[in-house]
Amino acid sequence: MALKVPGDGVQQPVIGWVDAVSKIMKPDSIVWCDGSEEEFRSLIKGMIADGTLIKLNEEKYPNCYLHRSNPNDVARSEEATFICTENKDDVGPTNNWMAPDEAHAKLLKLFDGCMTGRTMYVIPYLLGPADSPYSQVGIELTDSPYVAANMNIMTKVGRVALEHLKDVGFVKGVHSIGALDPSNRYICHFPDEKLIMSLNSNYGGNALLSKKCHSLRLASVMGRDEGWLAEHMLVIGIEDPDGTVIYVTGAFPSASGKTNLTMLKPPEYMKGWDVWAVSDDIAWIHLDSEGRLRAINPESGLFAVAPNTSPKTNPRIMEMVKKNTIFTNVALSSDKTPWWEGMGEHPRKLWDWQGKVWTAGKSAGSAAHPNSRFTTSIHQYPSLSTEYNNPNGVPITAIIFGGRRSELVPLVYESFSWEHGVLMGAMLKVETTAAAAGEVGVLRNDPMAMKPFCGYHIADYFNHWLSFRSRSGKLPKIFQINAFRMGRDGRFLWPGYSNNLVVLKWIVERCRGKVEAVETPIGYVPTAASLKIDGLNITETTINELLHVDKGTWMDELESSWLFFESLGERFPIVLRQELSKLMDRLQESSSANPR
Ligand code: SAT
Ligand code: MN
């Protein structure tokens, strides 16, 4: 099939590459995506016609759709994800490795003719503001109209990308649904070629190649080489009652509340405070000429977890997803509205995420898949930061690490230094969630929430973080938070959601030197009084429990981190070894850990 190129403005390297790939994939037709509304509607129309999408209630959820995945394809497939570099040592023990030649040979065979009978969509996308020096272009070739429609929401598709491409190169992404065969599922990254090849999955993190594959795995390697950071972080502006806004980033593992924190609606009792969203998942962070870290959001949309979002826990998100949204693997009520666990009262009649009739108390499992998602434009969010599109990004005053820990980690604490903060991030362990295939609730090392996303040796990544110390005297303060600590009765101690603004307020005030803390062996922990606020319904005993630093369990934690660091071999930075020893000494010297 001869390649037809639309109008002018498509550069020769793009044409040459699309032509070469199409000769292998052999699609019946090729559609160049322009990112228009019209194109989106036509993709949707086609998918409704062939059953890929179900149209939802137009009155209650205008322009909203439901997609049901193949049950074998509902989360990221980490075991099928590879980094392909010449030298195996460069990917480290937290990644799967495959030699580039072997990967190319294997994939060439599998990709051969895989788009026969299908349309190949050419999706030029821009990540980041149109006029930013930090933005990047990628082109994804896919046979999935679901991917094409989602990319239209998640990125800036079309001419805007091709125009940006004039100055720089582009990341190449090739994706095919194939036969959705899990035994031949591959998500391969080739950092040296700026190439991604993904086959046999149609799930977000495996198939929307702009997201984890480009914005994190490949971009993290570019960041290492060029002196910046690509992070699995939210970015928010926190406004105080004086109207001053400071920006913070937060690294939390998948499905641990990043979107909820980004879209937080202040509680009634915190008049004058607000939270402005810049990013809910990914931050590209560069040093500016004055030595400040500045973050941009490469994405234009959200692909976020639905369960537990409700008018009570997060009214702002509920409003946002009521129009122009694609839902994936949620349940469906008889009035064709979406439903998920934690949304509120259970409707009388319901179809589960696979389309089977579901009855509360009788049917097994959950009605919505625990990793069910919604895709929606970030521009629909009413509290989007006015700085969202600032080409220079927003200046970062604090970095927060977080995640799910039912014990050990206090509600919030601050590191003593940049190096100690990097250790805090490196030691991050979290309970696994449904965002990746595999067991849920298992504690695993997830340094900086980047375990599944760092495209190179994690010890080199720690070194890269440490290198910022010598490059700037204005680095952000580093904190860790944990809203998931449980009491002996197995219940969450902290009310979470909008109340998390109390924790953010403490962080803001620490950055301004306005609030006290107790020096403990692990870092600066708030005094109970500094978290007390009229309206926050929690006893002082519970606050103390949330802030408790237990010497014995911390010693166990350090030992297990030590083992993890040992497994990283010689590349593990000596500075972090020293920080860990210092932390051990401080704990050993203390009688009980919280001197209060
Ligand atoms: O499925 S994604 O990888 O896009 C989301 C996540 O797991 O963080
Ligand atoms: Mn994520």
Side-chain angles (χ1 to χ4, degrees):
M1 192 182 79
L3 184 71
K4 276 207 209 97
V5 182
D8 55 348
V10 184
Q11 297 87 334
Q12 194 48 50
V14 176
I15 298 169
W17 177 65
V18 174
D19 194 25
V21 174
S22 69
K23 286 198 170 109
I24 299 165
M25 312 284 161
K26 305 182 183 69
D28 280 12
S29 58
I30 297 176
V31 169
W32 292 71
C33 295
D34 61 9
S36 64
E37 179 77 28
E38 205 188 343
E39 176 180 276
F40 184 76
R41 288 193 186 275
S42 126
L43 286 163
I44 297 287
K45 206 171 146 200
M47 286 190 280
I48 291 175
D50 71 10
T52 306
L53 292 183
I54 296 168
K55 181 158 172 51
L56 297 180
N57 186 315
E58 181 61 24
E59 238 166 72
K60 295 182 179 161
Y61 282 80
N63 198 26
C64 290
Y65 309 91
L66 166 63
H67 173 69
R68 291 185 182 135
S69 304
N70 184 312
N72 79 34
D73 188 36
V74 291
R76 273 182 293 102
S77 317
E78 294 183 5
E79 72 298 337
T81 301
F82 293 86
I83 310 290
C84 308
T85 54
E86 289 302 335
N87 184 353
K88 185 174 181 188
D89 287 347
D90 288 344
V91 311
T94 55
N95 282 306
N96 301 315
W97 175 82
M98 208 190 293
D101 286 353
E102 183 194 338
H104 275 299
K106 197 185 277 268
L107 291 171
L108 193 64
K109 239 197 240 157
L110 292 167
F111 270 119
D112 189 15
C114 68
M115 293 190 188
T116 302
R118 299 178 184 171
T119 297
M120 179 167 95
Y121 299 93
V122 181
I123 310 170
Y125 61 86
L126 178 72
L127 297 177
D131 46 358
S132 171
Y134 309 136
S135 294
Q136 291 191 20
V137 177
I139 299 186
E140 175 164 356
L141 310 181
T142 178
D143 54 11
S144 164
Y146 169 81
V147 166
N150 276 274
M151 288 293 284
N152 185 302
I153 299 172
M154 295 303 297
T155 66
K156 301 176 179 78
V157 170
R159 184 143 304 277
V160 65
L162 292 167
E163 271 162 15
H164 198 90
L165 197 152
K166 283 186 184 129
D167 316 321
V168 287
F170 63 99
V171 165
K172 303 177 178 88
V174 184
H175 168 254
S176 172
I177 306 173
L180 287 183
D181 170 11
S183 61
N184 270 318
R185 185 167 291 161
Y186 290 98
I187 301 106
C188 290
H189 304 71
F190 304 80
D192 296 335
E193 299 167 66
K194 294 205 165 78
L195 170 70
I196 306 148
M197 297 181 95
S198 166
L199 180 65
N200 277 318
S201 170
N202 201 30
Y203 170 73
N206 299 334
L208 308 175
L209 301 186
S210 61
K211 200 168 178 53
K212 308 299 181 176
C213 302
H214 178 165
S215 293
L216 288 177
R217 296 198 192 94
L218 289 190
S220 62
V221 177
M222 295 179 215
R224 175 197 66 189
D225 297 343
E226 298 162 10
W228 54 281
L229 293 163
E231 296 297 329
H232 192 205
M233 286 179 172
L234 62 81
V235 184
I236 48 177
I238 306 167
E239 183 175 341
D240 67 16
D242 293 338
T244 312
V245 179
I246 74 160
Y247 295 89
V248 309
T249 66
F252 297 64
S254 304
S256 296
K258 276 203 299 299
T259 306
N260 271 308
L261 196 58
T262 308
M263 317 248 146
L264 185 152
K265 182 177 179 193
E268 286 295 323
Y269 60 82
M270 287 186 76
K271 288 262 173 314
W273 287 85
D274 213 340
V275 175
W276 300 94
V278 179
S279 175
D280 82 315
D281 196 37
I282 296 174
W284 283 353
I285 305 173
H286 291 75
L287 267 184
D288 68 10
S289 54
E290 283 152 34
R292 296 200 72 172
L293 288 180
R294 303 189 72 99
I296 64 162
N297 177 1
E299 302 191 285
S300 311
L302 287 77
F303 178 69
V305 177
N308 293 324
T309 311
S310 76
K312 220 167 113 212
T313 58
N314 209 315
R316 287 182 170 174
I317 298 184
M318 289 306 285
E319 266 321 299
M320 180 179 49
V321 301
K322 280 213 163 122
K323 54 180 191 271
N324 313 320
T325 299
I326 299 175
F327 294 91
T328 300
N329 297 336
V330 298
L332 184 67
S333 332
S334 55
D335 65 347
K336 294 235 164 155
T337 56
W339 192 84
W340 48 78
E341 275 70 18
M343 188 201 251
E345 213 179 301
H346 189 280
R348 214 163 52 84
K349 194 166 176 199
L350 204 55
W351 288 270
D352 73 4
W353 63 278
Q354 293 179 72
K356 297 190 195 110
V357 173
W358 199 90
T359 319
K362 283 198 188 147
S363 305
S366 55
H369 189 276
N371 192 38
S372 54
R373 302 251 166 181
F374 58 80
T375 320
T376 203
S377 165
I378 200 163
H379 294 282
Q380 291 199 169
Y381 184 60
S383 295
L384 183 63
S385 165
T386 51
E387 296 300 293
Y388 163 76
N389 250 328
N390 185 331
N392 299 315
V394 294
I396 300 305
T397 303
I399 293 173
I400 304 169
F401 294 116
R404 290 176 174 269
R405 290 301 298 264
S406 43
E407 39 187 38
L408 186 89
V409 180
L411 179 64
V412 56
Y413 70 108
E414 178 192 333
S415 75
F416 291 125
S417 64
W418 179 256
E419 289 77 4
H420 175 218
V422 174
L423 177 73
M424 235 177 203
M427 282 178 57
L428 206 64
K429 286 196 195 67
V430 290
E431 286 147 27
T432 49
T433 67
E439 214 179 323
V440 169
V442 180
L443 201 62
R444 76 166 184 189
N445 288 291
D446 194 353
M448 279 82 171
M450 283 287 278
K451 146 85 180 68
F453 308 122
C454 180
Y456 60 102
H457 199 301
I458 202 83
D460 291 349
Y461 170 74
F462 298 154
N463 267 310
H464 184 46
W465 265 79
L466 290 168
S467 74
F468 282 82
R469 157 58 77 225
S470 61
R471 295 172 61 207
S472 166
K474 293 182 187 155
L475 291 172
K477 277 180 179 285
I478 300 181
F479 298 83
Q480 183 169 8
I481 71 177
N482 176 28
F484 298 93
R485 199 160 173 173
M486 286 175 173
R488 269 178 220 103
D489 57 1
R491 296 196 5 188
F492 290 119
L493 291 167
W494 181 246
Y497 296 105
S498 65
N499 303 289
N500 289 333
L501 190 52
V502 173
V503 177
L504 295 176
K505 173 175 176 280
W506 188 81
I507 290 174
V508 168
E509 288 174 347
R510 280 303 287 174
C511 291
R512 295 197 174 132
K514 272 169 92 180
V515 70
E516 270 183 75
V518 181
E519 189 175 332
T520 76
I522 64 160
Y524 296 113
V525 174
T527 59
S530 66
L531 289 179
K532 261 234 60 73
I533 211 174
D534 279 348
L536 172 67
N537 195 6
I538 176 168
T539 64
E540 186 148 340
T541 319
T542 307
I543 294 189
N544 282 327
E545 220 179 316
L546 277 159
L547 297 175
H548 182 61
V549 180
D550 183 71
K551 181 173 170 177
T553 36
W554 268 96
M555 287 306 279
D556 293 345
E557 177 82 352
L558 297 198
E559 256 170 57
S560 90
S561 291
W562 190 264
L563 287 175
F564 170 56
F565 294 155
E566 285 293 301
S567 77
L568 303 182
E570 282 174 8
R571 297 190 190 207
F572 184 70
I574 189 126
V575 174
L576 291 190
R577 252 177 239 278
Q578 289 163 347
E579 281 298 328
L580 188 62
S581 300
K582 285 197 266 180
L583 177 50
M584 256 175 193
D585 291 349
R586 289 195 300 266
L587 273 165
Q588 241 143 16
E589 280 158 24
S590 67
S591 43
S592 71
N594 273 48
R596 65 179 86 247

